[in-house]
Amino acid sequence: MQLHKNLILVLMACLPLTGVASGQGGLPEDYCRWEVEDYAIAEPLCGLAGDVQRGQEIASDGNRGNCLACHQLPIPGIEAYGTIGPPLAGIAARLSVPMIRLRVVDTRNINPVSIMPGFYRDPRLINRPGEEYRGRTFLTAQQVEDVIAYLTTLK
Ligand code: HEC
């Protein structure tokens, strides 16, 4: 009897969580699911190939990637950058592409309290005030792959 009671308590504790996940509507149609293995995402999002030049532009664009708000990037002529995150020069020598992918997609899989935004986090898990942003990722799958292609050149 005690066992059943505990089981019911556990189930009740889980209910609010499932409510949050399904309460904000479903996933957008073009959202590609991704899988984490060994702290990495092996497959490119939606099977897309990234573009290095576009990736550099997105990474340094304050309205899109905004990576410069927290990271130094080795782009000539850029003097203002944040130091909340580690400099990204040489990142491809430190991390494999699949490891970089998980860090850009949703780094909370590695560090649950990270302040870095999950740029392709499941939008149902993103708490946002504005109705118009619901169900959207911070970057598109193509933009994420572009940024990764750029980071891959930083050896
Ligand atoms: C709000 C600040 C913030 C923004 C914006 C941000 N990051 Fe980060 N990032 C961090 C922090 C802090 C870390 C250190 C690890 C942690 O705390 O999660 C990190 C870690 C990383 C790492 C792993 C670095 C290493 O040496 O292990 C990569 C790669 C990375 N970020 C890429 C990016 C890219 C690409 C962008 C832009 C698309 C970006 N970050 C935007 C804060 C940020």
Side-chain angles (χ1 to χ4, degrees), residues 56 59-61 68 71-82 150:
Q56 177 175 317
S60 54
D61 181 338
L68 283 171
H71 295 281
Q72 182 181 9
L73 290 172
I75 303 175
I78 291 186
E79 275 149 31
Y81 52 81
Y150 163 61

Side-chain angles (χ1 to χ4, degrees), residues 39-154:
Y39 297 101
I41 303 173
E43 300 296 324
L45 298 179
C46 316
L48 292 164
D51 179 273
V52 174
Q53 186 55 41
R54 275 198 319 242
Q56 177 175 317
E57 283 159 23
I58 293 162
S60 54
D61 181 338
N63 292 317
R64 291 189 289 176
N66 203 15
C67 316
L68 283 171
C70 300
H71 295 281
Q72 182 181 9
L73 290 172
I75 303 175
I78 291 186
E79 275 149 31
Y81 52 81
T83 53
I84 298 168
L88 294 181
I91 187 68
R94 296 198 294 276
L95 298 178
S96 69
V97 174
M99 286 172 156
I100 293 176
R101 184 170 291 111
L102 177 57
R103 278 153 180 87
V104 179
V105 165
D106 191 356
T107 204
R108 285 197 205 155
N109 279 269
I110 302 162
N111 171 8
V113 295
S114 178
I115 58 155
M116 176 165 154
F119 289 92
Y120 202 74
R121 191 161 210 237
D122 181 332
R124 294 170 303 182
L125 302 177
I126 305 176
N127 288 321
R128 276 189 284 201
E131 196 61 52
E132 67 273 28
Y133 295 113
R134 291 248 170 91
R136 287 214 232 146
T137 53
F138 291 111
L139 291 177
T140 65
Q142 182 65 66
Q143 288 173 327
V144 169
E145 289 303 325
D146 291 346
V147 168
I148 292 166
Y150 163 61
L151 294 180
T152 306
T153 66
L154 307 182

